[in-house]
Amino acid sequence: MFRPTHVVPGDGMAAWEDPDPARPTVPLDPLLPVRLVERRGDWGRALCANGWSAWVDARLLVALPQDPPTTAGGPLARTADPRPLLARAERVLAGYRAAVEDLASGALDGESFRRRTQGLRIGVVVDGESLWLYDAERGRWLYADGTRLSTYAADEAPSATAPPDTTAPPDPTPSGPSARPAARPDAAPPTAVVPPEATAPPGRDHAPTRIVSPDGP
């Protein structure tokens, strides 16, 4: 019996013959039930009820509730908790506000303000019970309904390398030449994306939507 583990997001999603952005195939229909049967980093092989399978960006699949495991199966997996990212956003915002206060009082000049805030990057959108948080460590937007986080959109193409564990809140003040500028506080939650390298899949007359960072071309 086919037992799906996930469904495709409401706007559908791109698919590939292999975990390779250069090999697109027919996109998956919105809300299509699939079974995630294999993972390679961010890539996942989604199996459909008719036996056809394709590789997708597994971060964007919507997980279905599963039956609780038996005692022999071990404890339930930990629910993705939005609080560590919220705490990080609060620390980064407090640091930015302190820098603004020093700039306004004359304790900092423009160049010192730029150096002090370099690398700070957060994104928070709250609309009633809905919350969108930007995870700067993994380069993705997350959606939360108050208790559970799920990936909403990702900056980069899926990778075959598993991302680092970010359970612990990261350092809110990265530095160095590779640090990115602060995110716009008025940015709206991004739309779901697929890798920018992908060409338009069959049946579409345009390339997939992708996120472009504020400092991009």
Side-chain angles (χ1 to χ4, degrees), residues 3 13 24 31 84 94 125 132 150 154-155 209:
R3 298 191 64 183
M13 68 188 309
L31 304 181
V125 179
W132 289 265
S150 58
D155 291 350
T209 303

Side-chain angles (χ1 to χ4, degrees), residues 124-195:
V124 181
V125 179
V126 179
D127 185 9
E129 66 179 12
S130 298
L131 168 71
W132 289 265
L133 280 171
Y134 185 71
D135 182 350
E137 288 292 305
R138 296 191 177 189
R140 61 179 181 171
W141 280 89
L142 302 167
Y143 171 77
D145 59 3
T147 59
R148 183 185 301 269
L149 284 174
S150 58
T151 300
Y152 182 80
D155 291 350
E156 304 294 339
S159 168
T161 304
D165 181 12
T166 56
T167 301
D171 183 354
T173 333
S175 61
S178 62
R180 293 180 290 185
R184 288 176 50 200
D186 60 343
T191 55
V193 297
V194 294

Side-chain angles (χ1 to χ4, degrees), residues 7-202:
V7 295
V8 172
D11 54 353
M13 68 188 309
W16 292 265
E17 295 179 5
D18 294 299
D20 180 355
R23 302 195 62 187
T25 186
V26 179
L28 301 185
D29 292 335
L31 304 181
L32 176 71
V34 298
R35 183 171 183 81
L36 188 61
V37 295
E38 186 177 351
R39 284 294 297 261
R40 294 186 191 176
D42 298 329
W43 292 99
R45 186 162 68 88
L47 177 66
C48 302
N50 62 1
W52 183 77
S53 66
W55 289 88
V56 300
D57 185 347
R59 299 170 295 181
L60 303 181
L61 288 172
V62 181
L64 292 174
Q66 302 297 312
D67 294 333
T70 62
T71 304
L76 288 168
R78 183 181 62 83
T79 299
D81 189 345
R83 289 175 295 180
L85 273 180
L86 281 170
R88 179 188 183 279
E90 290 173 354
R91 290 196 300 273
V92 173
L93 183 59
Y96 187 86
R97 179 175 180 178
V100 170
E101 294 285 356
D102 288 344
L103 179 65
S105 67
L108 285 179
D109 58 23
E111 179 61 22
S112 298
F113 176 77
R114 185 191 67 81
R115 289 198 303 268
R116 181 166 165 181
T117 57
Q118 184 179 21
L120 299 183
R121 188 175 179 84
I122 61 173
V124 181
V125 179
V126 179
D127 185 9
E129 66 179 12
S130 298
L131 168 71
W132 289 265
L133 280 171
Y134 185 71
D135 182 350
E137 288 292 305
R138 296 191 177 189
R140 61 179 181 171
W141 280 89
L142 302 167
Y143 171 77
D145 59 3
T147 59
R148 183 185 301 269
L149 284 174
S150 58
T151 300
Y152 182 80
D155 291 350
E156 304 294 339
S159 168
T161 304
D165 181 12
T166 56
T167 301
D171 183 354
T173 333
S175 61
S178 62
R180 293 180 290 185
R184 288 176 50 200
D186 60 343
T191 55
V193 297
V194 294
E197 299 90 344
T199 56

